[in-house]
Amino acid sequence: MAAELIRGHLDLLVLSVVARGARHGYAIAEQLRLTSEGDFDIPEGTLYPALYRLEAGSLLTSEWTVVDGRRRRMYRLTRAGKRELARRTREWTSFADAVQRVVSKPARSQM
Amino acid sequence: MAAELIRGHLDLLVLSVVARGARHGYAIAEQLRLTSEGDFDIPEGTLYPALYRLEAGSLLTSEWTVVDGRRRRMYRLTRAGKRELARRTREWTSFADAVQRVVSKPARSQM
DNA sequence: TTATGATACCTAGAGTGTCTAGGTATGGCT
DNA sequence: AGCCATACCTAGACACTCTAGGTATCATAA
């Protein structure tokens, strides 16, 4: 999967995963790899800054936890995050529909 | 439509439109607005550089024409452009499917 | 005749999200 | 002791898009 396609859509993916329950960064990346069947392999240098942006925008909150001696920063959706996820999901649908219309429109008026 | 969603997908859209027949830049933008029902309103400062990139990559060729006293640069697909369009169309489908799986996966394991 | 809007193209510079490539640290296994 | 998986962090580079300017033609209206 060409990675540059994800640009602009990563927030939707992250919000969607966190909406299924609180997750830490590493687990979010893992979940995305699994659910996308390997298509989305987000580098840490992409994912962590994205999480900070989402938290800075009050769409996520985080807290440190320790599991088996390793620290994890757990993220969960805020109320605004839930709203934003709903908005972005609708936006994705209309975007995907529009792309589909452009791509699948039959050829005509060859020159 | 949030414009930043288009990033990384513009080449596919442009190649798709030109595949329907030779077009000049202004007409490509117009066609995208029409087919997407207004969702894709590509600024000229985005579209023209994209066309130059595609031509530089040998996916499009162009030639100047004059219609009603106005010059137009007409673009058409090269053989490599047709191949690339096919590849990007498949890529789009798997991308869209993967996003859909992430977005629509039911919630579980709330914390 | 002048102004305006649509058509049609061009470009420099700024902005922004992602990636590369480095870093730290813990725990389990060999 | 070495290695891999887990887990997080960050600076700088990169690439695509947007903003905001520019030129020019033609049709229409004032």
PDB file of all heavy atoms in Angstrom, chain C residues 3-16:
ATOM      1  P    DA C   3     -12.386  51.389 -16.474  1.00  0.00           P
ATOM      2  OP1  DA C   3     -12.163  52.444 -15.482  1.00  0.00           O
ATOM      3  OP2  DA C   3     -11.258  50.689 -17.106  1.00  0.00           O
ATOM      4  O5'  DA C   3     -13.368  50.318 -15.847  1.00  0.00           O
ATOM      5  C5'  DA C   3     -14.773  50.589 -15.826  1.00  0.00           C
ATOM      6  C4'  DA C   3     -15.538  49.313 -15.603  1.00  0.00           C
ATOM      7  O4'  DA C   3     -15.829  48.675 -16.874  1.00  0.00           O
ATOM      8  C3'  DA C   3     -14.794  48.271 -14.764  1.00  0.00           C
ATOM      9  O3'  DA C   3     -15.673  47.821 -13.730  1.00  0.00           O
ATOM     10  C2'  DA C   3     -14.432  47.160 -15.742  1.00  0.00           C
ATOM     11  C1'  DA C   3     -15.529  47.294 -16.788  1.00  0.00           C
ATOM     12  N9   DA C   3     -15.135  46.871 -18.129  1.00  0.00           N
ATOM     13  C8   DA C   3     -14.006  47.206 -18.818  1.00  0.00           C
ATOM     14  N7   DA C   3     -13.932  46.681 -20.027  1.00  0.00           N
ATOM     15  C5   DA C   3     -15.101  45.959 -20.140  1.00  0.00           C
ATOM     16  C6   DA C   3     -15.639  45.161 -21.180  1.00  0.00           C
ATOM     17  N6   DA C   3     -15.027  44.986 -22.351  1.00  0.00           N
ATOM     18  N1   DA C   3     -16.824  44.568 -20.960  1.00  0.00           N
ATOM     19  C2   DA C   3     -17.439  44.749 -19.785  1.00  0.00           C
ATOM     20  N3   DA C   3     -17.039  45.477 -18.736  1.00  0.00           N
ATOM     21  C4   DA C   3     -15.851  46.056 -18.980  1.00  0.00           C
ATOM     22  P    DT C   4     -15.185  46.934 -12.551  1.00  0.00           P
ATOM     23  OP1  DT C   4     -15.808  47.424 -11.324  1.00  0.00           O
ATOM     24  OP2  DT C   4     -13.711  46.806 -12.664  1.00  0.00           O
ATOM     25  O5'  DT C   4     -15.824  45.523 -12.913  1.00  0.00           O
ATOM     26  C5'  DT C   4     -17.183  45.480 -13.385  1.00  0.00           C
ATOM     27  C4'  DT C   4     -17.483  44.105 -13.925  1.00  0.00           C
ATOM     28  O4'  DT C   4     -17.045  44.004 -15.303  1.00  0.00           O
ATOM     29  C3'  DT C   4     -16.777  42.971 -13.166  1.00  0.00           C
ATOM     30  O3'  DT C   4     -17.749  42.001 -12.799  1.00  0.00           O
ATOM     31  C2'  DT C   4     -15.772  42.405 -14.178  1.00  0.00           C
ATOM     32  C1'  DT C   4     -16.447  42.742 -15.504  1.00  0.00           C
ATOM     33  N1   DT C   4     -15.518  42.863 -16.673  1.00  0.00           N
ATOM     34  C2   DT C   4     -15.900  42.301 -17.871  1.00  0.00           C
ATOM     35  O2   DT C   4     -16.955  41.716 -18.022  1.00  0.00           O
ATOM     36  N3   DT C   4     -15.000  42.458 -18.894  1.00  0.00           N
ATOM     37  C4   DT C   4     -13.783  43.108 -18.841  1.00  0.00           C
ATOM     38  O4   DT C   4     -13.061  43.190 -19.830  1.00  0.00           O
ATOM     39  C5   DT C   4     -13.438  43.671 -17.548  1.00  0.00           C
ATOM     40  C7   DT C   4     -12.138  44.394 -17.369  1.00  0.00           C
ATOM     41  C6   DT C   4     -14.317  43.520 -16.540  1.00  0.00           C
ATOM     42  P    DG C   5     -17.440  40.956 -11.630  1.00  0.00           P
ATOM     43  OP1  DG C   5     -18.513  41.064 -10.613  1.00  0.00           O
ATOM     44  OP2  DG C   5     -16.019  41.079 -11.253  1.00  0.00           O
ATOM     45  O5'  DG C   5     -17.637  39.581 -12.402  1.00  0.00           O
ATOM     46  C5'  DG C   5     -18.738  39.428 -13.295  1.00  0.00           C
ATOM     47  C4'  DG C   5     -18.465  38.295 -14.242  1.00  0.00           C
ATOM     48  O4'  DG C   5     -17.585  38.748 -15.310  1.00  0.00           O
ATOM     49  C3'  DG C   5     -17.758  37.096 -13.595  1.00  0.00           C
ATOM     50  O3'  DG C   5     -18.424  35.902 -14.003  1.00  0.00           O
ATOM     51  C2'  DG C   5     -16.337  37.162 -14.128  1.00  0.00           C
ATOM     52  C1'  DG C   5     -16.540  37.809 -15.487  1.00  0.00           C
ATOM     53  N9   DG C   5     -15.383  38.538 -16.019  1.00  0.00           N
ATOM     54  C8   DG C   5     -14.505  39.336 -15.327  1.00  0.00           C
ATOM     55  N7   DG C   5     -13.574  39.849 -16.091  1.00  0.00           N
ATOM     56  C5   DG C   5     -13.846  39.352 -17.357  1.00  0.00           C
ATOM     57  C6   DG C   5     -13.181  39.556 -18.581  1.00  0.00           C
ATOM     58  O6   DG C   5     -12.187  40.243 -18.827  1.00  0.00           O
ATOM     59  N1   DG C   5     -13.794  38.856 -19.630  1.00  0.00           N
ATOM     60  C2   DG C   5     -14.911  38.063 -19.489  1.00  0.00           C
ATOM     61  N2   DG C   5     -15.360  37.471 -20.599  1.00  0.00           N
ATOM     62  N3   DG C   5     -15.547  37.872 -18.340  1.00  0.00           N
ATOM     63  C4   DG C   5     -14.960  38.539 -17.321  1.00  0.00           C
ATOM     64  P    DA C   6     -18.036  34.526 -13.353  1.00  0.00           P
ATOM     65  OP1  DA C   6     -19.281  33.921 -12.843  1.00  0.00           O
ATOM     66  OP2  DA C   6     -16.852  34.703 -12.475  1.00  0.00           O
ATOM     67  O5'  DA C   6     -17.548  33.671 -14.623  1.00  0.00           O
ATOM     68  C5'  DA C   6     -18.395  33.604 -15.764  1.00  0.00           C
ATOM     69  C4'  DA C   6     -17.604  33.074 -16.944  1.00  0.00           C
ATOM     70  O4'  DA C   6     -16.666  34.088 -17.377  1.00  0.00           O
ATOM     71  C3'  DA C   6     -16.776  31.821 -16.631  1.00  0.00           C
ATOM     72  O3'  DA C   6     -17.024  30.842 -17.635  1.00  0.00           O
ATOM     73  C2'  DA C   6     -15.341  32.298 -16.643  1.00  0.00           C
ATOM     74  C1'  DA C   6     -15.399  33.488 -17.583  1.00  0.00           C
ATOM     75  N9   DA C   6     -14.382  34.496 -17.283  1.00  0.00           N
ATOM     76  C8   DA C   6     -14.112  35.084 -16.084  1.00  0.00           C
ATOM     77  N7   DA C   6     -13.119  35.957 -16.117  1.00  0.00           N
ATOM     78  C5   DA C   6     -12.716  35.930 -17.439  1.00  0.00           C
ATOM     79  C6   DA C   6     -11.706  36.620 -18.126  1.00  0.00           C
ATOM     80  N6   DA C   6     -10.892  37.523 -17.558  1.00  0.00           N
ATOM     81  N1   DA C   6     -11.557  36.369 -19.444  1.00  0.00           N
ATOM     82  C2   DA C   6     -12.366  35.480 -20.024  1.00  0.00           C
ATOM     83  N3   DA C   6     -13.353  34.760 -19.485  1.00  0.00           N
ATOM     84  C4   DA C   6     -13.476  35.042 -18.174  1.00  0.00           C
ATOM     85  P    DT C   7     -16.320  29.425 -17.564  1.00  0.00           P
ATOM     86  OP1  DT C   7     -17.234  28.514 -18.263  1.00  0.00           O
ATOM     87  OP2  DT C   7     -15.889  29.161 -16.179  1.00  0.00           O
ATOM     88  O5'  DT C   7     -15.006  29.606 -18.461  1.00  0.00           O
ATOM     89  C5'  DT C   7     -15.141  29.891 -19.838  1.00  0.00           C
ATOM     90  C4'  DT C   7     -13.804  30.200 -20.457  1.00  0.00           C
ATOM     91  O4'  DT C   7     -13.213  31.359 -19.817  1.00  0.00           O
ATOM     92  C3'  DT C   7     -12.761  29.083 -20.342  1.00  0.00           C
ATOM     93  O3'  DT C   7     -12.298  28.763 -21.641  1.00  0.00           O
ATOM     94  C2'  DT C   7     -11.657  29.683 -19.472  1.00  0.00           C
ATOM     95  C1'  DT C   7     -11.819  31.156 -19.769  1.00  0.00           C
ATOM     96  N1   DT C   7     -11.257  32.084 -18.763  1.00  0.00           N
ATOM     97  C2   DT C   7     -10.259  32.939 -19.150  1.00  0.00           C
ATOM     98  O2   DT C   7      -9.815  32.979 -20.287  1.00  0.00           O
ATOM     99  N3   DT C   7      -9.779  33.764 -18.155  1.00  0.00           N
ATOM    100  C4   DT C   7     -10.201  33.820 -16.851  1.00  0.00           C
ATOM    101  O4   DT C   7      -9.699  34.599 -16.045  1.00  0.00           O
ATOM    102  C5   DT C   7     -11.254  32.894 -16.498  1.00  0.00           C
ATOM    103  C7   DT C   7     -11.793  32.857 -15.108  1.00  0.00           C
ATOM    104  C6   DT C   7     -11.729  32.081 -17.465  1.00  0.00           C
ATOM    105  P    DA C   8     -11.542  27.412 -21.925  1.00  0.00           P
ATOM    106  OP1  DA C   8     -11.422  27.243 -23.393  1.00  0.00           O
ATOM    107  OP2  DA C   8     -12.280  26.395 -21.135  1.00  0.00           O
ATOM    108  O5'  DA C   8     -10.110  27.619 -21.277  1.00  0.00           O
ATOM    109  C5'  DA C   8      -9.028  28.092 -22.074  1.00  0.00           C
ATOM    110  C4'  DA C   8      -7.816  28.398 -21.221  1.00  0.00           C
ATOM    111  O4'  DA C   8      -8.040  29.566 -20.401  1.00  0.00           O
ATOM    112  C3'  DA C   8      -7.347  27.341 -20.227  1.00  0.00           C
ATOM    113  O3'  DA C   8      -6.387  26.513 -20.852  1.00  0.00           O
ATOM    114  C2'  DA C   8      -6.740  28.171 -19.081  1.00  0.00           C
ATOM    115  C1'  DA C   8      -6.923  29.604 -19.541  1.00  0.00           C
ATOM    116  N9   DA C   8      -7.157  30.550 -18.451  1.00  0.00           N
ATOM    117  C8   DA C   8      -8.137  30.534 -17.495  1.00  0.00           C
ATOM    118  N7   DA C   8      -8.063  31.505 -16.616  1.00  0.00           N
ATOM    119  C5   DA C   8      -6.948  32.207 -17.023  1.00  0.00           C
ATOM    120  C6   DA C   8      -6.319  33.361 -16.505  1.00  0.00           C
ATOM    121  N6   DA C   8      -6.742  34.020 -15.426  1.00  0.00           N
ATOM    122  N1   DA C   8      -5.214  33.814 -17.155  1.00  0.00           N
ATOM    123  C2   DA C   8      -4.779  33.153 -18.229  1.00  0.00           C
ATOM    124  N3   DA C   8      -5.283  32.068 -18.814  1.00  0.00           N
ATOM    125  C4   DA C   8      -6.382  31.637 -18.152  1.00  0.00           C
ATOM    126  P    DC C   9      -5.576  25.410 -19.964  1.00  0.00           P
ATOM    127  OP1  DC C   9      -5.109  24.430 -20.963  1.00  0.00           O
ATOM    128  OP2  DC C   9      -6.348  24.988 -18.791  1.00  0.00           O
ATOM    129  O5'  DC C   9      -4.295  26.225 -19.460  1.00  0.00           O
ATOM    130  C5'  DC C   9      -3.453  26.845 -20.434  1.00  0.00           C
ATOM    131  C4'  DC C   9      -2.504  27.804 -19.757  1.00  0.00           C
ATOM    132  O4'  DC C   9      -3.253  28.767 -18.988  1.00  0.00           O
ATOM    133  C3'  DC C   9      -1.560  27.163 -18.754  1.00  0.00           C
ATOM    134  O3'  DC C   9      -0.268  27.010 -19.331  1.00  0.00           O
ATOM    135  C2'  DC C   9      -1.510  28.143 -17.573  1.00  0.00           C
ATOM    136  C1'  DC C   9      -2.369  29.300 -18.027  1.00  0.00           C
ATOM    137  N1   DC C   9      -3.149  29.867 -16.910  1.00  0.00           N
ATOM    138  C2   DC C   9      -2.747  31.084 -16.358  1.00  0.00           C
ATOM    139  O2   DC C   9      -1.756  31.651 -16.831  1.00  0.00           O
ATOM    140  N3   DC C   9      -3.437  31.606 -15.304  1.00  0.00           N
ATOM    141  C4   DC C   9      -4.493  30.969 -14.824  1.00  0.00           C
ATOM    142  N4   DC C   9      -5.140  31.518 -13.793  1.00  0.00           N
ATOM    143  C5   DC C   9      -4.935  29.730 -15.381  1.00  0.00           C
ATOM    144  C6   DC C   9      -4.241  29.215 -16.416  1.00  0.00           C
ATOM    145  P    DC C  10       0.865  26.284 -18.527  1.00  0.00           P
ATOM    146  OP1  DC C  10       1.915  25.953 -19.525  1.00  0.00           O
ATOM    147  OP2  DC C  10       0.275  25.235 -17.688  1.00  0.00           O
ATOM    148  O5'  DC C  10       1.426  27.408 -17.560  1.00  0.00           O
ATOM    149  C5'  DC C  10       2.043  28.573 -18.106  1.00  0.00           C
ATOM    150  C4'  DC C  10       2.540  29.446 -16.971  1.00  0.00           C
ATOM    151  O4'  DC C  10       1.410  29.958 -16.240  1.00  0.00           O
ATOM    152  C3'  DC C  10       3.385  28.703 -15.948  1.00  0.00           C
ATOM    153  O3'  DC C  10       4.740  29.115 -16.069  1.00  0.00           O
ATOM    154  C2'  DC C  10       2.810  29.066 -14.589  1.00  0.00           C
ATOM    155  C1'  DC C  10       1.833  30.176 -14.906  1.00  0.00           C
ATOM    156  N1   DC C  10       0.616  30.162 -14.056  1.00  0.00           N
ATOM    157  C2   DC C  10       0.504  31.092 -13.015  1.00  0.00           C
ATOM    158  O2   DC C  10       1.432  31.890 -12.835  1.00  0.00           O
ATOM    159  N3   DC C  10      -0.604  31.093 -12.227  1.00  0.00           N
ATOM    160  C4   DC C  10      -1.574  30.203 -12.459  1.00  0.00           C
ATOM    161  N4   DC C  10      -2.652  30.248 -11.671  1.00  0.00           N
ATOM    162  C5   DC C  10      -1.485  29.257 -13.512  1.00  0.00           C
ATOM    163  C6   DC C  10      -0.381  29.258 -14.277  1.00  0.00           C
ATOM    164  P    DT C  11       5.853  28.342 -15.275  1.00  0.00           P
ATOM    165  OP1  DT C  11       7.109  28.644 -15.979  1.00  0.00           O
ATOM    166  OP2  DT C  11       5.427  26.951 -15.036  1.00  0.00           O
ATOM    167  O5'  DT C  11       5.894  29.059 -13.857  1.00  0.00           O
ATOM    168  C5'  DT C  11       5.966  30.463 -13.797  1.00  0.00           C
ATOM    169  C4'  DT C  11       6.024  30.892 -12.349  1.00  0.00           C
ATOM    170  O4'  DT C  11       4.690  30.970 -11.810  1.00  0.00           O
ATOM    171  C3'  DT C  11       6.796  29.936 -11.444  1.00  0.00           C
ATOM    172  O3'  DT C  11       7.750  30.686 -10.725  1.00  0.00           O
ATOM    173  C2'  DT C  11       5.759  29.350 -10.507  1.00  0.00           C
ATOM    174  C1'  DT C  11       4.689  30.429 -10.508  1.00  0.00           C
ATOM    175  N1   DT C  11       3.301  29.940 -10.248  1.00  0.00           N
ATOM    176  C2   DT C  11       2.526  30.643  -9.366  1.00  0.00           C
ATOM    177  O2   DT C  11       2.907  31.632  -8.790  1.00  0.00           O
ATOM    178  N3   DT C  11       1.265  30.134  -9.193  1.00  0.00           N
ATOM    179  C4   DT C  11       0.728  29.013  -9.795  1.00  0.00           C
ATOM    180  O4   DT C  11      -0.420  28.658  -9.554  1.00  0.00           O
ATOM    181  C5   DT C  11       1.612  28.326 -10.712  1.00  0.00           C
ATOM    182  C7   DT C  11       1.126  27.101 -11.404  1.00  0.00           C
ATOM    183  C6   DT C  11       2.836  28.817 -10.891  1.00  0.00           C
ATOM    184  P    DA C  12       8.995  29.984 -10.038  1.00  0.00           P
ATOM    185  OP1  DA C  12      10.162  30.286 -10.888  1.00  0.00           O
ATOM    186  OP2  DA C  12       8.674  28.599  -9.686  1.00  0.00           O
ATOM    187  O5'  DA C  12       9.100  30.836  -8.697  1.00  0.00           O
ATOM    188  C5'  DA C  12       8.814  32.233  -8.739  1.00  0.00           C
ATOM    189  C4'  DA C  12       8.489  32.717  -7.340  1.00  0.00           C
ATOM    190  O4'  DA C  12       7.112  32.393  -7.022  1.00  0.00           O
ATOM    191  C3'  DA C  12       9.347  32.086  -6.254  1.00  0.00           C
ATOM    192  O3'  DA C  12       9.640  33.075  -5.277  1.00  0.00           O
ATOM    193  C2'  DA C  12       8.468  30.958  -5.709  1.00  0.00           C
ATOM    194  C1'  DA C  12       7.068  31.523  -5.905  1.00  0.00           C
ATOM    195  N9   DA C  12       6.039  30.516  -6.207  1.00  0.00           N
ATOM    196  C8   DA C  12       6.152  29.428  -7.033  1.00  0.00           C
ATOM    197  N7   DA C  12       5.058  28.713  -7.125  1.00  0.00           N
ATOM    198  C5   DA C  12       4.156  29.371  -6.299  1.00  0.00           C
ATOM    199  C6   DA C  12       2.816  29.107  -5.954  1.00  0.00           C
ATOM    200  N6   DA C  12       2.124  28.076  -6.439  1.00  0.00           N
ATOM    201  N1   DA C  12       2.214  29.960  -5.108  1.00  0.00           N
ATOM    202  C2   DA C  12       2.913  31.004  -4.637  1.00  0.00           C
ATOM    203  N3   DA C  12       4.178  31.358  -4.882  1.00  0.00           N
ATOM    204  C4   DA C  12       4.752  30.483  -5.726  1.00  0.00           C
ATOM    205  P    DG C  13      10.645  32.739  -4.086  1.00  0.00           P
ATOM    206  OP1  DG C  13      11.390  33.979  -3.802  1.00  0.00           O
ATOM    207  OP2  DG C  13      11.346  31.475  -4.384  1.00  0.00           O
ATOM    208  O5'  DG C  13       9.646  32.481  -2.868  1.00  0.00           O
ATOM    209  C5'  DG C  13       8.647  33.445  -2.582  1.00  0.00           C
ATOM    210  C4'  DG C  13       7.715  32.912  -1.524  1.00  0.00           C
ATOM    211  O4'  DG C  13       6.815  31.947  -2.122  1.00  0.00           O
ATOM    212  C3'  DG C  13       8.413  32.184  -0.365  1.00  0.00           C
ATOM    213  O3'  DG C  13       7.912  32.711   0.855  1.00  0.00           O
ATOM    214  C2'  DG C  13       8.052  30.715  -0.577  1.00  0.00           C
ATOM    215  C1'  DG C  13       6.713  30.814  -1.287  1.00  0.00           C
ATOM    216  N9   DG C  13       6.370  29.677  -2.133  1.00  0.00           N
ATOM    217  C8   DG C  13       7.187  28.968  -2.970  1.00  0.00           C
ATOM    218  N7   DG C  13       6.576  27.994  -3.606  1.00  0.00           N
ATOM    219  C5   DG C  13       5.270  28.070  -3.150  1.00  0.00           C
ATOM    220  C6   DG C  13       4.137  27.283  -3.471  1.00  0.00           C
ATOM    221  O6   DG C  13       4.062  26.325  -4.249  1.00  0.00           O
ATOM    222  N1   DG C  13       2.999  27.702  -2.779  1.00  0.00           N
ATOM    223  C2   DG C  13       2.964  28.743  -1.893  1.00  0.00           C
ATOM    224  N2   DG C  13       1.787  29.001  -1.326  1.00  0.00           N
ATOM    225  N3   DG C  13       4.012  29.490  -1.584  1.00  0.00           N
ATOM    226  C4   DG C  13       5.131  29.101  -2.243  1.00  0.00           C
ATOM    227  P    DA C  14       8.435  32.163   2.259  1.00  0.00           P
ATOM    228  OP1  DA C  14       8.773  33.331   3.079  1.00  0.00           O
ATOM    229  OP2  DA C  14       9.427  31.088   2.027  1.00  0.00           O
ATOM    230  O5'  DA C  14       7.103  31.508   2.845  1.00  0.00           O
ATOM    231  C5'  DA C  14       5.872  32.216   2.703  1.00  0.00           C
ATOM    232  C4'  DA C  14       4.721  31.354   3.161  1.00  0.00           C
ATOM    233  O4'  DA C  14       4.443  30.345   2.157  1.00  0.00           O
ATOM    234  C3'  DA C  14       4.982  30.604   4.475  1.00  0.00           C
ATOM    235  O3'  DA C  14       3.836  30.717   5.288  1.00  0.00           O
ATOM    236  C2'  DA C  14       5.249  29.162   4.027  1.00  0.00           C
ATOM    237  C1'  DA C  14       4.423  29.058   2.744  1.00  0.00           C
ATOM    238  N9   DA C  14       4.959  28.119   1.755  1.00  0.00           N
ATOM    239  C8   DA C  14       6.236  28.052   1.290  1.00  0.00           C
ATOM    240  N7   DA C  14       6.426  27.112   0.390  1.00  0.00           N
ATOM    241  C5   DA C  14       5.182  26.523   0.252  1.00  0.00           C
ATOM    242  C6   DA C  14       4.709  25.465  -0.553  1.00  0.00           C
ATOM    243  N6   DA C  14       5.480  24.790  -1.400  1.00  0.00           N
ATOM    244  N1   DA C  14       3.399  25.130  -0.442  1.00  0.00           N
ATOM    245  C2   DA C  14       2.622  25.810   0.414  1.00  0.00           C
ATOM    246  N3   DA C  14       2.958  26.822   1.220  1.00  0.00           N
ATOM    247  C4   DA C  14       4.263  27.132   1.088  1.00  0.00           C
ATOM    248  P    DG C  15       3.854  30.197   6.797  1.00  0.00           P
ATOM    249  OP1  DG C  15       3.074  31.134   7.615  1.00  0.00           O
ATOM    250  OP2  DG C  15       5.245  29.821   7.152  1.00  0.00           O
ATOM    251  O5'  DG C  15       3.019  28.851   6.656  1.00  0.00           O
ATOM    252  C5'  DG C  15       1.767  28.884   5.983  1.00  0.00           C
ATOM    253  C4'  DG C  15       1.245  27.470   5.857  1.00  0.00           C
ATOM    254  O4'  DG C  15       1.963  26.799   4.790  1.00  0.00           O
ATOM    255  C3'  DG C  15       1.444  26.616   7.112  1.00  0.00           C
ATOM    256  O3'  DG C  15       0.181  26.113   7.496  1.00  0.00           O
ATOM    257  C2'  DG C  15       2.415  25.512   6.689  1.00  0.00           C
ATOM    258  C1'  DG C  15       2.234  25.472   5.178  1.00  0.00           C
ATOM    259  N9   DG C  15       3.411  25.054   4.420  1.00  0.00           N
ATOM    260  C8   DG C  15       4.674  25.570   4.497  1.00  0.00           C
ATOM    261  N7   DG C  15       5.520  24.997   3.672  1.00  0.00           N
ATOM    262  C5   DG C  15       4.760  24.053   3.017  1.00  0.00           C
ATOM    263  C6   DG C  15       5.123  23.124   1.999  1.00  0.00           C
ATOM    264  O6   DG C  15       6.224  22.949   1.473  1.00  0.00           O
ATOM    265  N1   DG C  15       4.035  22.339   1.607  1.00  0.00           N
ATOM    266  C2   DG C  15       2.764  22.436   2.123  1.00  0.00           C
ATOM    267  N2   DG C  15       1.852  21.607   1.619  1.00  0.00           N
ATOM    268  N3   DG C  15       2.411  23.302   3.065  1.00  0.00           N
ATOM    269  C4   DG C  15       3.456  24.075   3.460  1.00  0.00           C
ATOM    270  P    DT C  16       0.019  25.407   8.950  1.00  0.00           P
ATOM    271  OP1  DT C  16      -1.304  25.782   9.437  1.00  0.00           O
ATOM    272  OP2  DT C  16       1.260  25.667   9.732  1.00  0.00           O
ATOM    273  O5'  DT C  16       0.014  23.863   8.578  1.00  0.00           O
ATOM    274  C5'  DT C  16      -0.675  23.427   7.408  1.00  0.00           C
ATOM    275  C4'  DT C  16      -0.388  21.961   7.201  1.00  0.00           C
ATOM    276  O4'  DT C  16       0.788  21.811   6.356  1.00  0.00           O
ATOM    277  C3'  DT C  16      -0.070  21.191   8.492  1.00  0.00           C
ATOM    278  O3'  DT C  16      -0.773  19.974   8.445  1.00  0.00           O
ATOM    279  C2'  DT C  16       1.436  20.969   8.423  1.00  0.00           C
ATOM    280  C1'  DT C  16       1.635  20.850   6.921  1.00  0.00           C
ATOM    281  N1   DT C  16       3.005  21.136   6.425  1.00  0.00           N
ATOM    282  C2   DT C  16       3.472  20.414   5.329  1.00  0.00           C
ATOM    283  O2   DT C  16       2.809  19.565   4.775  1.00  0.00           O
ATOM    284  N3   DT C  16       4.743  20.742   4.934  1.00  0.00           N
ATOM    285  C4   DT C  16       5.572  21.694   5.502  1.00  0.00           C
ATOM    286  O4   DT C  16       6.689  21.894   5.064  1.00  0.00           O
ATOM    287  C5   DT C  16       5.011  22.411   6.644  1.00  0.00           C
ATOM    288  C7   DT C  16       5.827  23.463   7.316  1.00  0.00           C
ATOM    289  C6   DT C  16       3.775  22.099   7.030  1.00  0.00           C
TER     290       DT C  16
END
